[in-house]
Amino acid sequence: MATILDVARRAGVSTATVSHVINESRVVTPETKQRVLEAIEALHYRRDGIARSLRRSRTGTIGLVVSDITNPFFSELVRGVEDAIIEKHRDSNLILCNTDEDTEKERRSVETLLEKRIDGLIFAPAGGNESQISHLITRGVPVVMVDRRLPGVEADAVLVDNVQGAYELTAHLLGLGHRRIGVMRADLRAGSIEERLHGFEAAMSAAGVPVDPALIVTSPSEVDEATRVAASLIARPSVQRPSAVFCTNNFMTLGMLRAIVQERLRCPQDIAVAGFDDLPWALGFHPQLTAIAQPAYQMGQVAVDLLFARMSEGATHPPEQRKLETRLMVRESCGATLVQPLARSTA
Amino acid sequence: MATILDVARRAGVSTATVSHVINESRVVTPETKQRVLEAIEALHYRRDGIARSLRRSRTGTIGLVVSDITNPFFSELVRGVEDAIIEKHRDSNLILCNTDEDTEKERRSVETLLEKRIDGLIFAPAGGNESQISHLITRGVPVVMVDRRLPGVEADAVLVDNVQGAYELTAHLLGLGHRRIGVMRADLRAGSIEERLHGFEAAMSAAGVPVDPALIVTSPSEVDEATRVAASLIARPSVQRPSAVFCTNNFMTLGMLRAIVQERLRCPQDIAVAGFDDLPWALGFHPQLTAIAQPAYQMGQVAVDLLFARMSEGATHPPEQRKLETRLMVRESCGATLVQPLARSTA
DNA sequence: GTTCGATGGCAACCATTCTCGATGTGGCCC
DNA sequence: GGGCCACATCGAGAATGGTTGCCATCGAAC
């Protein structure tokens, strides 16, 4: 690979001048500029980002750690981050890490990202690395948390109004006449699940409907396990069975839907399903899911805005927490649509 | 930030020794090693990956460019790549880029990845940058293509047997008695779509069924457009309507399913849908999709293997093309299951 | 005393950026 | 016309933070 020195020699100038031509950081007479550009062209020179980063102590890469890129919520979020970056900050890139909600994996990821000298970090904390993160923040690394917050860690965050969303979804269920409402609770350290539960409880109590603890089950955040747990919740005589289930995340929803098929029940006739978190790729299927949609893409964008704001202004302004609105998508899985399941109407 | 020099001073040794302790690249007496480690601890020293990369001319990051992380096929693939890397090559990371099948965006991505001095590149080419890529390969950058191949570019590749998969899926349709089979053809430069079409045609001709060109429509690879095109294909009097549709990728499938709902048809009774590419998150929905599943995750892993093989051996061995098997997932959307749509059996 | 193995230091090197400062040129004033 | 100053342009070389080849030193063994 040709270096800047090769270019300089060929153009008969110093490396400084070449550098300034490349970065447009100083006026250079048109003639020399021309010579430099020709030399660059001739040698197929491409500047070395590593040496550049070393000297400037900025790498132009930002770290993004999420729990699982395979989860539509996160892939949407990642996409939002990427698009915002290439649109507003052309010279930056994204290093991606998955943690699977594993504290140790997260710790290692952050560690290697730090070693790679990322300019900033966007991440959905799994929890358990609070000290590492706050240490990192006091060191001046710009950090913004997405989707979840770490208790006791002062940093920018972009969140979603989980309580409100869950409240709304539960109210929808109650409005349709459901009283025995079950809950599929994801077993995550992330506080968002708790908040959703609070929203659920608030809506129930506002409607004067008692919460039946027997209808609340907890499951690992993984499809197969969730399916089993879901089955245990609905494989009961119909009087004991919930008439509707509130699923606290994607995995819970999918598990429940699969369990319903397994148990040969009908949704929404035998059991209604309401999910927190939408499943974009399932729009073509029946029954279409009634769910709380999170603005994942937008969350990614906002995260980038917060991050770059902090990167430029330094640690001057206090941490900002942005809370985004959810949207209730009323579709079919709770039986709300008047036009009953479309596919059957022409039968 | 403390540098290696600070550590050296505090431990009373040279920077060389500190470096050797960190990298275990030379024997160091237990006592000095101890002193060094203590100094590292005390100063919260973390080695600078950038300086390190500069000196060693290896960055420990590999570039991954796909068209859209939001597409389950790619997120699965990305996950496979990531897992393989952290399992087998702990010190490496992934820089992710999305291209949206846009040639120019792809060119820019590759360009900045090169500037970042990636150790290797895994990518699903959109097409149009052949010269850039082959130039890059002759320069010695390890490259492996996934999902698609670039005509005229000699490089490692991990592909899927598109012809065979499409053949199998079509044969399945034919076996169920379908004769008027439509095709939703994705408008991509990627050769994979062509191959799938070939497989389709081969199966048809093998069965002695003529292909009706009127039933083959082409759509942009995007959901809303695909829905419109799909609607135009099926919104016909039933005699002119295909009895089954072969969808050449995810977007086509989803568009078709949505169009079916719009047009108030029933799947599979009125029209059968067979998709190339599975939709993992839709397992809980009805009708469950009969589709050709691609081993996306595994493709990512194989890609990593090929890449690291090339990275270590250099350009010595000839490019290797690995072709992975697809799997026909017979579910409900083609009406093949004897147990007719489960949800209705208890009605 | 010589040789050899075990340790560890010196200093070059990686490819840039960036701070000074050097050089030249033209205008202006006396 | 000579001297001085301002301005425009560019170069030399330090600095960035590590890695690594080569050499020096020190005991112990022969």
Side-chain angles (χ1 to χ4, degrees):
Chain A
M1 274 307 253
T3 76
I4 203 174
L5 185 59
D6 301 325
V7 176
R9 275 205 267 261
R10 186 179 234 265
V13 297
S14 74
T15 61
T17 301
V18 177
S19 174
H20 285 122
V21 168
I22 295 171
N23 300 303
E24 299 189 332
S25 43
R26 185 160 81 178
V27 272
V28 176
T29 49
E31 304 88 62
T32 35
K33 186 170 188 171
Q34 187 58 30
R35 282 213 314 285
V36 169
L37 290 177
E38 280 169 11
I40 287 177
E41 178 73 17
L43 298 172
H44 296 286
Y45 169 73
R46 188 175 0 244
R47 79 181 158 197
D48 187 321
I50 295 298
R52 185 165 202 253
S53 298
L54 178 60
R55 187 59 238 249
R56 310 187 13 171
S57 61
R58 288 193 322 128
T59 55
T61 82
I62 82 135
L64 179 54
V65 354
V66 298
S67 75
D68 181 11
I69 186 69
T70 270
N71 183 331
F73 171 73
F74 285 117
S75 51
E76 200 70 40
L77 191 149
V78 169
R79 197 61 219 267
V81 170
E82 237 239 53
D83 286 357
I85 283 187
I86 85 167
E87 188 188 345
K88 304 181 200 163
H89 311 276
R90 265 289 170 68
D91 39 352
S92 285
N93 278 114
L94 220 50
I95 297 190
L96 178 73
C97 300
N98 294 11
T99 66
D100 291 315
E101 308 285 353
D102 177 335
T103 298
E104 176 54 18
K105 236 170 150 183
E106 175 177 296
R107 200 193 51 72
R108 273 205 303 270
S109 292
V110 172
E111 200 60 31
T112 71
L113 287 177
L114 250 35
E115 199 175 297
K116 289 250 158 72
R117 293 282 118 109
I118 50 168
D119 292 341
L121 176 64
I122 297 177
F123 82 136
N129 292 316
E130 285 76 5
S131 73
Q132 182 194 28
I133 301 301
S134 41
H135 184 241
L136 188 156
I137 291 173
T138 60
R139 285 259 183 132
V141 182
V143 171
V144 10
M145 302 192 272
V146 287
D147 187 40
R148 307 119 184 234
R149 195 173 17 184
L150 239 29
V153 177
E154 293 282 307
D156 293 323
V158 19
L159 306 165
V160 119
D161 197 335
N162 285 299
V163 178
Q164 166 63 21
Y167 189 101
E168 200 175 343
L169 189 55
T170 309
H172 175 69
L173 249 22
L174 289 164
L176 292 172
H178 291 286
R179 288 299 174 266
R180 292 182 55 75
I181 305 181
V183 176
M184 287 281 293
R185 169 184 180 170
D187 189 14
L188 289 178
R189 310 177 59 147
S192 47
I193 301 297
E194 287 309 309
E195 293 174 9
R196 292 171 196 176
L197 224 56
H198 290 335
F200 167 77
E201 283 160 358
M204 293 289 273
S205 103
V209 179
V211 172
D212 182 350
L215 297 183
I216 300 185
V217 293
T218 303
S219 159
S221 218
E222 185 269 324
V223 180
D224 289 331
E225 280 294 331
T227 306
R228 272 220 299 285
V229 174
S232 79
L233 179 61
I234 62 174
R236 313 176 177 186
S238 63
V239 275
Q240 291 172 31
R241 197 195 298 144
S243 72
V245 180
F246 169 36
C247 301
T248 54
N249 75 6
N250 261 338
F251 293 94
M252 302 301 109
T253 303
L254 191 49
M256 178 51 70
L257 290 169
R258 288 177 67 179
I260 287 173
V261 174
Q262 266 178 31
E263 298 297 324
R264 315 212 158 197
L265 295 171
R266 295 164 308 169
C267 171
Q269 294 92 327
D270 297 324
I271 189 162
V273 175
F276 202 111
D277 218 354
D278 204 4
L279 254 13
W281 278 93
L283 267 184
F285 293 75
H286 278 291
Q288 286 193 11
L289 185 69
T290 288
I292 289 294
Q294 301 191 69
Y297 187 86
Q298 194 196 344
M299 287 171 79
Q301 296 187 302
V302 174
V304 170
D305 288 344
L306 289 182
L307 187 69
F308 278 80
R310 182 142 317 265
M311 277 167 51
S312 57
E313 301 173 33
T316 55
H317 59 289
E320 186 176 345
Q321 312 231 329
R322 206 101 107 210
K323 199 164 255 184
L324 270 40
E325 295 282 310
T326 58
R327 262 192 7 258
L328 171 61
M329 313 295 285
V330 176
R331 292 196 281 251
E332 302 166 355
S333 68
C334 297
T337 38
L338 291 183
V339 207
Q340 272 292 334
L342 289 179
R344 280 158 224 169
S345 63
T346 38
Chain B
M1 274 307 254
T3 75
I4 204 175
L5 185 58
D6 300 324
V7 175
R9 274 204 269 260
R10 187 177 234 267
V13 297
S14 73
T15 61
T17 301
V18 177
S19 174
H20 286 123
V21 167
I22 295 171
N23 300 305
E24 299 190 330
S25 43
R26 188 159 79 177
V27 272
V28 175
T29 47
E31 303 88 63
T32 32
K33 187 170 187 173
Q34 187 57 30
R35 282 214 312 286
V36 170
L37 291 177
E38 280 169 11
I40 287 177
E41 178 72 17
L43 297 172
H44 296 286
Y45 170 74
R46 187 172 3 240
R47 81 179 156 198
D48 187 321
I50 295 298
R52 185 165 201 254
S53 297
L54 178 59
R55 183 58 236 253
R56 310 187 25 174
S57 60
R58 289 194 322 127
T59 55
T61 83
I62 81 136
L64 180 53
V65 354
V66 299
S67 75
D68 182 10
I69 187 69
T70 269
N71 182 331
F73 171 73
F74 285 116
S75 51
E76 200 70 39
L77 191 149
V78 169
R79 197 61 219 268
V81 171
E82 237 237 53
D83 286 357
I85 283 187
I86 87 169
E87 188 189 345
K88 303 181 201 165
H89 312 275
R90 265 289 170 68
D91 39 352
S92 286
N93 278 114
L94 220 51
I95 296 190
L96 179 73
C97 300
N98 294 7
T99 67
D100 291 315
E101 308 284 353
D102 177 335
T103 297
E104 175 55 18
K105 237 169 150 183
E106 175 177 296
R107 200 193 52 69
R108 274 204 305 270
S109 293
V110 172
E111 200 60 31
T112 72
L113 287 176
L114 250 36
E115 200 174 297
K116 289 250 158 73
R117 293 283 120 111
I118 50 168
D119 292 341
L121 176 64
I122 296 177
F123 81 137
N129 292 317
E130 285 77 4
S131 73
Q132 183 194 29
I133 302 301
S134 42
H135 184 241
L136 189 156
I137 292 173
T138 60
R139 286 258 183 134
V141 182
V143 172
V144 9
M145 301 191 274
V146 286
D147 187 38
R148 307 117 184 236
R149 196 172 17 183
L150 239 29
V153 177
E154 294 281 308
D156 293 322
V158 18
L159 306 165
V160 119
D161 197 334
N162 285 300
V163 179
Q164 166 63 21
Y167 189 102
E168 201 175 345
L169 190 55
T170 309
H172 175 69
L173 250 21
L174 289 164
L176 292 172
H178 291 287
R179 289 299 174 267
R180 292 182 56 76
I181 305 181
V183 176
M184 288 282 292
R185 169 185 180 167
D187 189 14
L188 289 178
R189 308 177 61 147
S192 47
I193 301 298
E194 288 309 309
E195 292 174 9
R196 291 171 196 176
L197 224 56
H198 290 334
F200 167 76
E201 284 160 358
M204 292 290 273
S205 103
V209 179
V211 173
D212 182 350
L215 296 183
I216 301 185
V217 293
T218 303
S219 158
S221 218
E222 185 269 324
V223 180
D224 289 331
E225 281 294 331
T227 306
R228 273 221 298 285
V229 173
S232 79
L233 179 61
I234 62 174
R236 313 176 176 185
S238 63
V239 275
Q240 291 172 31
R241 197 196 299 143
S243 71
V245 180
F246 169 36
C247 300
T248 54
N249 75 5
N250 260 339
F251 293 95
M252 302 302 109
T253 303
L254 190 49
M256 178 52 70
L257 290 170
R258 290 178 66 178
I260 288 173
V261 173
Q262 268 179 29
E263 299 297 324
R264 316 212 158 197
L265 295 171
R266 296 164 308 169
C267 171
Q269 294 91 328
D270 297 325
I271 190 163
V273 174
F276 202 111
D277 218 354
D278 204 5
L279 254 15
W281 278 92
L283 266 184
F285 293 76
H286 278 291
Q288 286 192 12
L289 185 68
T290 288
I292 289 294
Q294 302 190 67
Y297 187 86
Q298 193 195 346
M299 287 172 78
Q301 296 188 302
V302 173
V304 170
D305 289 344
L306 289 183
L307 187 70
F308 277 80
R310 179 138 326 260
M311 277 166 52
S312 57
E313 301 173 34
T316 55
H317 59 290
E320 186 175 347
Q321 313 230 329
R322 207 100 108 210
K323 199 164 255 184
L324 269 41
E325 295 282 310
T326 58
R327 262 193 5 260
L328 172 61
M329 313 295 286
V330 176
R331 291 196 281 250
E332 301 165 357
S333 68
C334 297
T337 39
L338 291 183
V339 207
Q340 273 291 332
L342 289 178
R344 282 158 221 166
S345 63
T346 37

